[in-house]
Amino acid sequence: MAASAQPSVPPALSAEQVKAVLAEVIKAFGAPENAQRMEEARDNACNDMGKMLQFLLPVATQIQQDVIKAYGFSSDGEGVLKFARLIKSYESQDPEIASMSGKLKAMFLPPMTLPPHGASTGGVAAS
């Protein structure tokens, strides 16, 4: 087996550790150089969902990778997905993690707009 092989099991982090990592990731998005990279990607995307995926998501993924690799996640897209799944598993148990997760997503996902008629069929109720 190659020495560089990454374990496919995500690190087991407690709720407190997840909060610490989330706080660090959110802080990383606020760092001037990362904020500038995100702003440039947003400008390139022009509020187009397809372009958001093309320009913004890779930058957001890279910023997260730079932080979470120190916590045992692989430094690739898979590591970010595993981190996202771990956060999701804690969201229902811990309102602080749910709040921090929402804050993180808001940094790189465009705000979801309601249909003009305000219909709430099939949507998630805003709280």
Side-chain angles (χ1 to χ4, degrees):
M1 186 159 161
S4 65
Q6 295 273 348
S8 62
V9 179
L13 299 177
S14 69
E16 289 307 311
Q17 289 170 311
V18 168
K19 285 180 201 173
V21 180
L22 263 170
E24 205 173 316
V25 169
I26 290 168
K27 186 178 171 188
F29 272 92
E33 66 276 9
N34 289 336
Q36 183 179 350
R37 288 170 59 200
M38 290 294 290
E39 192 58 42
E40 287 170 4
R42 254 188 221 96
D43 289 348
N44 288 334
C46 304
N47 271 345
D48 177 289
M49 187 52 93
K51 289 182 179 176
M52 286 279 188
L53 294 173
Q54 184 182 356
F55 295 114
L56 202 58
L57 210 51
V59 175
T61 300
Q62 183 64 54
I63 293 169
Q64 289 181 73
Q65 285 170 356
D66 290 346
V67 174
I68 66 172
K69 67 185 177 191
Y71 295 90
F73 291 91
S74 58
S75 58
D76 56 13
E78 186 64 27
V80 172
L81 290 174
K82 287 177 180 175
F83 179 59
R85 280 191 221 106
L86 182 63
I87 293 169
K88 192 97 183 125
S89 72
Y90 279 112
E91 281 179 354
S92 61
Q93 306 164 30
D94 192 311
E96 191 178 347
I97 289 177
S99 171
M100 292 172 83
S101 173
K103 189 175 181 180
L104 175 60
K105 288 175 190 160
M107 293 175 160
F108 60 88
L109 293 175
M112 300 304 281
T113 53
L114 291 172
H117 50 79
S120 60
T121 54
V124 176
S127 53

